[in-house]
PDB file of all heavy atoms in Angstrom:
ATOM      1  N   ALA R   1       0.834  -1.198   0.001  1.00  0.00           N
ATOM      2  CA  ALA R   1      -0.031   0.029   0.022  1.00  0.00           C
ATOM      3  C   ALA R   1       0.872   1.261   0.039  1.00  0.00           C
ATOM      4  O   ALA R   1       0.555   2.177  -0.672  1.00  0.00           O
ATOM      5  CB  ALA R   1      -0.945   0.009   1.240  1.00  0.00           C
ATOM      6  N   VAL R   2       2.017   1.240   0.747  1.00  0.00           N
ATOM      7  CA  VAL R   2       2.903   2.319   0.796  1.00  0.00           C
ATOM      8  C   VAL R   2       3.577   2.559  -0.567  1.00  0.00           C
ATOM      9  O   VAL R   2       3.756   3.639  -1.083  1.00  0.00           O
ATOM     10  CB  VAL R   2       4.001   2.131   1.856  1.00  0.00           C
ATOM     11  CG1 VAL R   2       5.028   3.194   1.802  1.00  0.00           C
ATOM     12  CG2 VAL R   2       3.301   2.127   3.275  1.00  0.00           C
ATOM     13  N   LEU R   3       3.958   1.345  -1.188  1.00  0.00           N
ATOM     14  CA  LEU R   3       4.596   1.420  -2.509  1.00  0.00           C
ATOM     15  C   LEU R   3       3.597   2.014  -3.557  1.00  0.00           C
ATOM     16  O   LEU R   3       4.036   2.769  -4.473  1.00  0.00           O
ATOM     17  CB  LEU R   3       5.005  -0.011  -2.932  1.00  0.00           C
ATOM     18  CG  LEU R   3       6.249  -0.529  -2.252  1.00  0.00           C
ATOM     19  CD1 LEU R   3       6.504  -2.003  -2.690  1.00  0.00           C
ATOM     20  CD2 LEU R   3       7.444   0.307  -2.513  1.00  0.00           C
ATOM     21  N   ALA R   4       2.313   1.713  -3.402  1.00  0.00           N
ATOM     22  CA  ALA R   4       1.320   2.212  -4.349  1.00  0.00           C
ATOM     23  C   ALA R   4       1.312   3.770  -4.249  1.00  0.00           C
ATOM     24  O   ALA R   4       1.183   4.478  -5.257  1.00  0.00           O
ATOM     25  CB  ALA R   4       0.013   1.657  -4.066  1.00  0.00           C
ATOM     26  N   ILE R   5       1.498   4.329  -3.038  1.00  0.00           N
ATOM     27  CA  ILE R   5       1.515   5.775  -2.849  1.00  0.00           C
ATOM     28  C   ILE R   5       2.722   6.345  -3.598  1.00  0.00           C
ATOM     29  O   ILE R   5       2.621   7.333  -4.328  1.00  0.00           O
ATOM     30  CB  ILE R   5       1.578   6.143  -1.386  1.00  0.00           C
ATOM     31  CG1 ILE R   5       0.228   5.680  -0.690  1.00  0.00           C
ATOM     32  CG2 ILE R   5       1.688   7.648  -1.240  1.00  0.00           C
ATOM     33  CD1 ILE R   5       0.281   5.903   0.818  1.00  0.00           C
ATOM     34  N   LEU R   6       3.879   5.692  -3.403  1.00  0.00           N
ATOM     35  CA  LEU R   6       5.115   6.229  -3.985  1.00  0.00           C
ATOM     36  C   LEU R   6       5.092   6.097  -5.539  1.00  0.00           C
ATOM     37  O   LEU R   6       5.478   7.004  -6.205  1.00  0.00           O
ATOM     38  CB  LEU R   6       6.276   5.436  -3.466  1.00  0.00           C
ATOM     39  CG  LEU R   6       6.551   5.567  -1.974  1.00  0.00           C
ATOM     40  CD1 LEU R   6       7.710   4.682  -1.557  1.00  0.00           C
ATOM     41  CD2 LEU R   6       6.864   7.010  -1.612  1.00  0.00           C
ATOM     42  N   LEU R   7       4.555   4.973  -6.036  1.00  0.00           N
ATOM     43  CA  LEU R   7       4.500   4.779  -7.496  1.00  0.00           C
ATOM     44  C   LEU R   7       3.522   5.715  -8.173  1.00  0.00           C
ATOM     45  O   LEU R   7       3.720   6.068  -9.322  1.00  0.00           O
ATOM     46  CB  LEU R   7       4.067   3.370  -7.792  1.00  0.00           C
ATOM     47  CG  LEU R   7       5.002   2.191  -7.251  1.00  0.00           C
ATOM     48  CD1 LEU R   7       4.403   0.853  -7.545  1.00  0.00           C
ATOM     49  CD2 LEU R   7       6.354   2.361  -8.037  1.00  0.00           C
ATOM     50  N   GLY R   8       2.447   6.078  -7.457  1.00  0.00           N
ATOM     51  CA  GLY R   8       1.440   6.968  -8.046  1.00  0.00           C
ATOM     52  C   GLY R   8       1.628   8.381  -7.666  1.00  0.00           C
ATOM     53  O   GLY R   8       2.268   9.205  -8.429  1.00  0.00           O
ATOM     54  N   ARG R   9       1.277   8.724  -6.445  1.00  0.00           N
ATOM     55  CA  ARG R   9       1.313  10.164  -6.015  1.00  0.00           C
ATOM     56  C   ARG R   9       2.774  10.580  -5.850  1.00  0.00           C
ATOM     57  O   ARG R   9       3.060  11.804  -5.938  1.00  0.00           O
ATOM     58  CB  ARG R   9       0.529  10.292  -4.767  1.00  0.00           C
ATOM     59  CG  ARG R   9      -0.976  10.161  -5.026  1.00  0.00           C
ATOM     60  CD  ARG R   9      -1.778  10.262  -3.723  1.00  0.00           C
ATOM     61  NE  ARG R   9      -3.206  10.317  -4.012  1.00  0.00           N
ATOM     62  CZ  ARG R   9      -4.001   9.258  -4.168  1.00  0.00           C
ATOM     63  NH1 ARG R   9      -3.437   8.020  -4.106  1.00  0.00           N
ATOM     64  NH2 ARG R   9      -5.262   9.372  -4.366  1.00  0.00           N
ATOM     65  N   GLY R  10       3.688   9.715  -5.525  1.00  0.00           N
ATOM     66  CA  GLY R  10       5.107  10.109  -5.402  1.00  0.00           C
ATOM     67  C   GLY R  10       5.635  10.663  -6.722  1.00  0.00           C
ATOM     68  O   GLY R  10       6.306  11.674  -6.792  1.00  0.00           O
ATOM     69  N   VAL R  11       5.394   9.923  -7.769  1.00  0.00           N
ATOM     70  CA  VAL R  11       5.771  10.375  -9.164  1.00  0.00           C
ATOM     71  C   VAL R  11       5.056  11.663  -9.516  1.00  0.00           C
ATOM     72  O   VAL R  11       5.666  12.571 -10.084  1.00  0.00           O
ATOM     73  CB  VAL R  11       5.611   9.270 -10.196  1.00  0.00           C
ATOM     74  CG1 VAL R  11       5.926   9.737 -11.569  1.00  0.00           C
ATOM     75  CG2 VAL R  11       6.493   8.029  -9.828  1.00  0.00           C
ATOM     76  N   ASP R  12       3.779  11.725  -9.207  1.00  0.00           N
ATOM     77  CA  ASP R  12       2.995  12.951  -9.491  1.00  0.00           C
ATOM     78  C   ASP R  12       3.606  14.117  -8.775  1.00  0.00           C
ATOM     79  O   ASP R  12       3.748  15.235  -9.407  1.00  0.00           O
ATOM     80  CB  ASP R  12       1.515  12.761  -9.051  1.00  0.00           C
ATOM     81  CG  ASP R  12       0.732  11.774  -9.863  1.00  0.00           C
ATOM     82  OD1 ASP R  12       1.157  11.486 -11.054  1.00  0.00           O
ATOM     83  OD2 ASP R  12      -0.215  11.196  -9.370  1.00  0.00           O
ATOM     84  N   ALA R  13       4.020  13.965  -7.574  1.00  0.00           N
ATOM     85  CA  ALA R  13       4.570  15.064  -6.767  1.00  0.00           C
ATOM     86  C   ALA R  13       5.920  15.545  -7.388  1.00  0.00           C
ATOM     87  O   ALA R  13       6.214  16.694  -7.438  1.00  0.00           O
ATOM     88  CB  ALA R  13       4.821  14.645  -5.361  1.00  0.00           C
ATOM     89  N   LEU R  14       6.704  14.548  -7.872  1.00  0.00           N
ATOM     90  CA  LEU R  14       7.941  14.926  -8.494  1.00  0.00           C
ATOM     91  C   LEU R  14       7.712  15.773  -9.731  1.00  0.00           C
ATOM     92  O   LEU R  14       8.437  16.772 -10.008  1.00  0.00           O
ATOM     93  CB  LEU R  14       8.710  13.658  -8.901  1.00  0.00           C
ATOM     94  CG  LEU R  14       9.989  13.794  -9.708  1.00  0.00           C
ATOM     95  CD1 LEU R  14      11.035  14.483  -8.813  1.00  0.00           C
ATOM     96  CD2 LEU R  14      10.495  12.475 -10.238  1.00  0.00           C
ATOM     97  N   LEU R  15       6.692  15.450 -10.574  1.00  0.00           N
ATOM     98  CA  LEU R  15       6.406  16.186 -11.793  1.00  0.00           C
ATOM     99  C   LEU R  15       5.644  17.427 -11.590  1.00  0.00           C
ATOM    100  O   LEU R  15       5.586  18.287 -12.529  1.00  0.00           O
ATOM    101  CB  LEU R  15       5.700  15.195 -12.759  1.00  0.00           C
ATOM    102  CG  LEU R  15       6.473  13.991 -13.226  1.00  0.00           C
ATOM    103  CD1 LEU R  15       5.573  13.068 -14.074  1.00  0.00           C
ATOM    104  CD2 LEU R  15       7.749  14.331 -13.951  1.00  0.00           C
ATOM    105  N   THR R  16       4.958  17.580 -10.490  1.00  0.00           N
ATOM    106  CA  THR R  16       4.084  18.758 -10.271  1.00  0.00           C
ATOM    107  C   THR R  16       4.558  19.648  -9.087  1.00  0.00           C
ATOM    108  O   THR R  16       4.826  20.818  -9.314  1.00  0.00           O
ATOM    109  CB  THR R  16       2.636  18.301 -10.006  1.00  0.00           C
ATOM    110  OG1 THR R  16       2.546  17.500  -8.863  1.00  0.00           O
ATOM    111  CG2 THR R  16       2.096  17.583 -11.253  1.00  0.00           C
ATOM    112  N   LEU R  17       4.654  19.080  -7.912  1.00  0.00           N
ATOM    113  CA  LEU R  17       4.900  19.917  -6.732  1.00  0.00           C
ATOM    114  C   LEU R  17       6.361  20.445  -6.727  1.00  0.00           C
ATOM    115  O   LEU R  17       6.590  21.589  -6.272  1.00  0.00           O
ATOM    116  CB  LEU R  17       4.596  19.172  -5.482  1.00  0.00           C
ATOM    117  CG  LEU R  17       3.112  18.691  -5.300  1.00  0.00           C
ATOM    118  CD1 LEU R  17       2.912  18.043  -3.980  1.00  0.00           C
ATOM    119  CD2 LEU R  17       2.181  19.862  -5.533  1.00  0.00           C
ATOM    120  N   LEU R  18       7.302  19.604  -7.112  1.00  0.00           N
ATOM    121  CA  LEU R  18       8.678  20.104  -7.131  1.00  0.00           C
ATOM    122  C   LEU R  18       8.824  21.349  -8.036  1.00  0.00           C
ATOM    123  O   LEU R  18       9.338  22.395  -7.529  1.00  0.00           O
ATOM    124  CB  LEU R  18       9.654  18.933  -7.585  1.00  0.00           C
ATOM    125  CG  LEU R  18      11.112  19.446  -7.798  1.00  0.00           C
ATOM    126  CD1 LEU R  18      11.709  19.971  -6.514  1.00  0.00           C
ATOM    127  CD2 LEU R  18      11.934  18.231  -8.413  1.00  0.00           C
ATOM    128  N   PRO R  19       8.471  21.255  -9.309  1.00  0.00           N
ATOM    129  CA  PRO R  19       8.584  22.491 -10.124  1.00  0.00           C
ATOM    130  C   PRO R  19       7.658  23.634  -9.601  1.00  0.00           C
ATOM    131  O   PRO R  19       8.082  24.828  -9.766  1.00  0.00           O
ATOM    132  CB  PRO R  19       8.205  22.026 -11.491  1.00  0.00           C
ATOM    133  CG  PRO R  19       7.443  20.779 -11.354  1.00  0.00           C
ATOM    134  CD  PRO R  19       7.975  20.135 -10.139  1.00  0.00           C
ATOM    135  N   MET R  20       6.498  23.297  -9.080  1.00  0.00           N
ATOM    136  CA  MET R  20       5.619  24.385  -8.583  1.00  0.00           C
ATOM    137  C   MET R  20       6.280  25.160  -7.438  1.00  0.00           C
ATOM    138  O   MET R  20       6.246  26.386  -7.409  1.00  0.00           O
ATOM    139  CB  MET R  20       4.306  23.802  -8.172  1.00  0.00           C
ATOM    140  CG  MET R  20       3.304  24.885  -7.742  1.00  0.00           C
ATOM    141  SD  MET R  20       1.663  24.205  -7.473  1.00  0.00           S
ATOM    142  CE  MET R  20       1.166  23.821  -9.152  1.00  0.00           C
ATOM    143  N   LEU R  21       6.900  24.490  -6.507  1.00  0.00           N
ATOM    144  CA  LEU R  21       7.544  25.115  -5.361  1.00  0.00           C
ATOM    145  C   LEU R  21       8.739  25.899  -5.832  1.00  0.00           C
ATOM    146  O   LEU R  21       9.004  27.012  -5.310  1.00  0.00           O
ATOM    147  CB  LEU R  21       7.953  24.088  -4.313  1.00  0.00           C
ATOM    148  CG  LEU R  21       6.716  23.442  -3.598  1.00  0.00           C
ATOM    149  CD1 LEU R  21       7.226  22.272  -2.674  1.00  0.00           C
ATOM    150  CD2 LEU R  21       5.976  24.419  -2.783  1.00  0.00           C
ATOM    151  N   VAL R  22       9.513  25.365  -6.780  1.00  0.00           N
ATOM    152  CA  VAL R  22      10.648  26.171  -7.339  1.00  0.00           C
ATOM    153  C   VAL R  22      10.085  27.421  -8.028  1.00  0.00           C
ATOM    154  O   VAL R  22      10.650  28.486  -7.859  1.00  0.00           O
ATOM    155  CB  VAL R  22      11.444  25.267  -8.257  1.00  0.00           C
ATOM    156  CG1 VAL R  22      12.460  26.123  -9.065  1.00  0.00           C
ATOM    157  CG2 VAL R  22      12.162  24.163  -7.539  1.00  0.00           C
ATOM    158  N   GLY R  23       9.017  27.246  -8.750  1.00  0.00           N
ATOM    159  CA  GLY R  23       8.424  28.434  -9.384  1.00  0.00           C
ATOM    160  C   GLY R  23       7.971  29.451  -8.374  1.00  0.00           C
ATOM    161  O   GLY R  23       8.191  30.658  -8.603  1.00  0.00           O
ATOM    162  N   VAL R  24       7.401  29.003  -7.313  1.00  0.00           N
ATOM    163  CA  VAL R  24       6.958  29.947  -6.246  1.00  0.00           C
ATOM    164  C   VAL R  24       8.179  30.755  -5.683  1.00  0.00           C
ATOM    165  O   VAL R  24       8.074  31.944  -5.525  1.00  0.00           O
ATOM    166  CB  VAL R  24       6.289  29.229  -5.056  1.00  0.00           C
ATOM    167  CG1 VAL R  24       6.132  30.089  -3.844  1.00  0.00           C
ATOM    168  CG2 VAL R  24       4.925  28.657  -5.512  1.00  0.00           C
ATOM    169  N   GLY R  25       9.307  30.057  -5.533  1.00  0.00           N
ATOM    170  CA  GLY R  25      10.497  30.734  -5.098  1.00  0.00           C
ATOM    171  C   GLY R  25      10.932  31.854  -6.004  1.00  0.00           C
ATOM    172  O   GLY R  25      11.208  32.992  -5.510  1.00  0.00           O
ATOM    173  N   TYR R  26      10.879  31.635  -7.289  1.00  0.00           N
ATOM    174  CA  TYR R  26      11.196  32.717  -8.226  1.00  0.00           C
ATOM    175  C   TYR R  26      10.133  33.793  -8.321  1.00  0.00           C
ATOM    176  O   TYR R  26      10.462  34.976  -8.424  1.00  0.00           O
ATOM    177  CB  TYR R  26      11.464  32.168  -9.633  1.00  0.00           C
ATOM    178  CG  TYR R  26      12.837  31.432  -9.693  1.00  0.00           C
ATOM    179  CD1 TYR R  26      12.881  30.041  -9.653  1.00  0.00           C
ATOM    180  CD2 TYR R  26      13.974  32.185  -9.765  1.00  0.00           C
ATOM    181  CE1 TYR R  26      14.160  29.419  -9.679  1.00  0.00           C
ATOM    182  CE2 TYR R  26      15.241  31.557  -9.766  1.00  0.00           C
ATOM    183  CZ  TYR R  26      15.302  30.131  -9.778  1.00  0.00           C
ATOM    184  OH  TYR R  26      16.550  29.573  -9.797  1.00  0.00           O
ATOM    185  N   GLY R  27       8.879  33.400  -8.101  1.00  0.00           N
ATOM    186  CA  GLY R  27       7.814  34.391  -7.999  1.00  0.00           C
ATOM    187  C   GLY R  27       7.983  35.307  -6.817  1.00  0.00           C
ATOM    188  O   GLY R  27       7.764  36.502  -6.882  1.00  0.00           O
ATOM    189  N   LEU R  28       8.413  34.735  -5.709  1.00  0.00           N
ATOM    190  CA  LEU R  28       8.694  35.578  -4.475  1.00  0.00           C
ATOM    191  C   LEU R  28       9.821  36.539  -4.735  1.00  0.00           C
ATOM    192  O   LEU R  28       9.800  37.712  -4.286  1.00  0.00           O
ATOM    193  CB  LEU R  28       9.015  34.722  -3.312  1.00  0.00           C
ATOM    194  CG  LEU R  28       7.827  33.798  -2.775  1.00  0.00           C
ATOM    195  CD1 LEU R  28       8.335  32.927  -1.662  1.00  0.00           C
ATOM    196  CD2 LEU R  28       6.713  34.696  -2.305  1.00  0.00           C
ATOM    197  N   ILE R  29      10.816  36.117  -5.484  1.00  0.00           N
ATOM    198  CA  ILE R  29      11.952  37.054  -5.799  1.00  0.00           C
ATOM    199  C   ILE R  29      11.433  38.221  -6.654  1.00  0.00           C
ATOM    200  O   ILE R  29      11.728  39.432  -6.355  1.00  0.00           O
ATOM    201  CB  ILE R  29      13.027  36.319  -6.525  1.00  0.00           C
ATOM    202  CG1 ILE R  29      13.771  35.341  -5.572  1.00  0.00           C
ATOM    203  CG2 ILE R  29      14.092  37.303  -7.111  1.00  0.00           C
ATOM    204  CD1 ILE R  29      14.819  34.477  -6.291  1.00  0.00           C
ATOM    205  N   LEU R  30      10.621  37.919  -7.622  1.00  0.00           N
ATOM    206  CA  LEU R  30      10.001  38.992  -8.408  1.00  0.00           C
ATOM    207  C   LEU R  30       9.122  39.909  -7.642  1.00  0.00           C
ATOM    208  O   LEU R  30       9.085  41.119  -7.817  1.00  0.00           O
ATOM    209  CB  LEU R  30       9.250  38.371  -9.643  1.00  0.00           C
ATOM    210  CG  LEU R  30      10.060  37.557 -10.640  1.00  0.00           C
ATOM    211  CD1 LEU R  30       9.158  36.886 -11.638  1.00  0.00           C
ATOM    212  CD2 LEU R  30      11.074  38.518 -11.343  1.00  0.00           C
ATOM    213  N   ALA R  31       8.369  39.315  -6.695  1.00  0.00           N
ATOM    214  CA  ALA R  31       7.502  40.155  -5.868  1.00  0.00           C
ATOM    215  C   ALA R  31       8.290  41.022  -4.928  1.00  0.00           C
ATOM    216  O   ALA R  31       7.963  42.193  -4.728  1.00  0.00           O
ATOM    217  CB  ALA R  31       6.611  39.211  -5.000  1.00  0.00           C
ATOM    218  N   ARG R  32       9.397  40.428  -4.463  1.00  0.00           N
ATOM    219  CA  ARG R  32      10.206  41.324  -3.591  1.00  0.00           C
ATOM    220  C   ARG R  32      10.769  42.562  -4.368  1.00  0.00           C
ATOM    221  O   ARG R  32      10.789  43.612  -3.841  1.00  0.00           O
ATOM    222  CB  ARG R  32      11.349  40.487  -3.064  1.00  0.00           C
ATOM    223  CG  ARG R  32      12.230  41.230  -1.986  1.00  0.00           C
ATOM    224  CD  ARG R  32      13.450  40.382  -1.544  1.00  0.00           C
ATOM    225  NE  ARG R  32      14.454  40.322  -2.597  1.00  0.00           N
ATOM    226  CZ  ARG R  32      14.877  39.187  -3.137  1.00  0.00           C
ATOM    227  NH1 ARG R  32      14.358  38.029  -2.800  1.00  0.00           N
ATOM    228  NH2 ARG R  32      15.815  39.207  -4.066  1.00  0.00           N
ATOM    229  N   ARG R  33      11.243  42.297  -5.589  1.00  0.00           N
ATOM    230  CA  ARG R  33      11.753  43.394  -6.419  1.00  0.00           C
ATOM    231  C   ARG R  33      10.619  44.442  -6.765  1.00  0.00           C
ATOM    232  O   ARG R  33      10.778  45.604  -6.708  1.00  0.00           O
ATOM    233  CB  ARG R  33      12.306  42.848  -7.654  1.00  0.00           C
ATOM    234  CG  ARG R  33      13.621  42.043  -7.404  1.00  0.00           C
ATOM    235  CD  ARG R  33      14.118  41.419  -8.699  1.00  0.00           C
ATOM    236  NE  ARG R  33      15.411  40.670  -8.410  1.00  0.00           N
ATOM    237  CZ  ARG R  33      16.059  39.991  -9.401  1.00  0.00           C
ATOM    238  NH1 ARG R  33      15.557  39.953 -10.602  1.00  0.00           N
ATOM    239  NH2 ARG R  33      17.140  39.377  -9.066  1.00  0.00           N
ATOM    240  N   ARG R  34       9.437  43.867  -7.003  1.00  0.00           N
ATOM    241  CA  ARG R  34       8.307  44.776  -7.289  1.00  0.00           C
ATOM    242  C   ARG R  34       8.009  45.632  -6.069  1.00  0.00           C
ATOM    243  O   ARG R  34       7.786  46.833  -6.210  1.00  0.00           O
ATOM    244  CB  ARG R  34       7.070  43.848  -7.684  1.00  0.00           C
ATOM    245  CG  ARG R  34       5.824  44.680  -7.880  1.00  0.00           C
ATOM    246  CD  ARG R  34       4.581  43.715  -7.818  1.00  0.00           C
ATOM    247  NE  ARG R  34       4.482  43.136  -6.488  1.00  0.00           N
ATOM    248  CZ  ARG R  34       3.863  42.019  -6.228  1.00  0.00           C
ATOM    249  NH1 ARG R  34       3.297  41.312  -7.194  1.00  0.00           N
ATOM    250  NH2 ARG R  34       3.777  41.535  -4.979  1.00  0.00           N
ATOM    251  N   ASP R  35       7.936  45.010  -4.932  1.00  0.00           N
ATOM    252  CA  ASP R  35       7.575  45.711  -3.752  1.00  0.00           C
ATOM    253  C   ASP R  35       8.662  46.709  -3.277  1.00  0.00           C
ATOM    254  O   ASP R  35       8.372  47.710  -2.672  1.00  0.00           O
ATOM    255  CB  ASP R  35       7.314  44.755  -2.560  1.00  0.00           C
ATOM    256  CG  ASP R  35       6.061  43.929  -2.816  1.00  0.00           C
ATOM    257  OD1 ASP R  35       5.250  44.315  -3.713  1.00  0.00           O
ATOM    258  OD2 ASP R  35       5.868  42.921  -2.072  1.00  0.00           O
ATOM    259  N   ALA R  36       9.892  46.369  -3.652  1.00  0.00           N
ATOM    260  CA  ALA R  36      10.994  47.291  -3.343  1.00  0.00           C
ATOM    261  C   ALA R  36      10.871  48.589  -4.131  1.00  0.00           C
ATOM    262  O   ALA R  36      11.188  49.693  -3.648  1.00  0.00           O
ATOM    263  CB  ALA R  36      12.332  46.716  -3.587  1.00  0.00           C
ATOM    264  N   SER R  37      10.396  48.475  -5.371  1.00  0.00           N
ATOM    265  CA  SER R  37      10.259  49.679  -6.279  1.00  0.00           C
ATOM    266  C   SER R  37       8.919  50.348  -5.993  1.00  0.00           C
ATOM    267  O   SER R  37       8.805  51.512  -6.236  1.00  0.00           O
ATOM    268  CB  SER R  37      10.384  49.222  -7.672  1.00  0.00           C
ATOM    269  OG  SER R  37       9.369  48.282  -8.026  1.00  0.00           O
TER     270      SER R  37
END
């Protein structure tokens, strides 16, 4: 049952949540620059 989670949602997380969180990080940098100006 644990393996099923890793094989399904684990791979989904790799392809979706990892890049999304990295994207959020760059969005925060842009927001900081916006707010500074």
Side-chain angles (χ1 to χ4, degrees):
V2 174
L3 287 176
I5 296 175
L6 296 176
L7 296 174
R9 290 177 172 85
V11 175
D12 292 337
L14 176 67
L15 297 175
T16 60
L17 298 187
L18 171 62
M20 183 172 289
L21 291 172
V22 170
V24 169
Y26 285 103
L28 291 176
I29 291 175
L30 294 175
R32 186 183 74 239
R33 293 177 179 175
R34 176 198 63 202
D35 291 345
S37 60

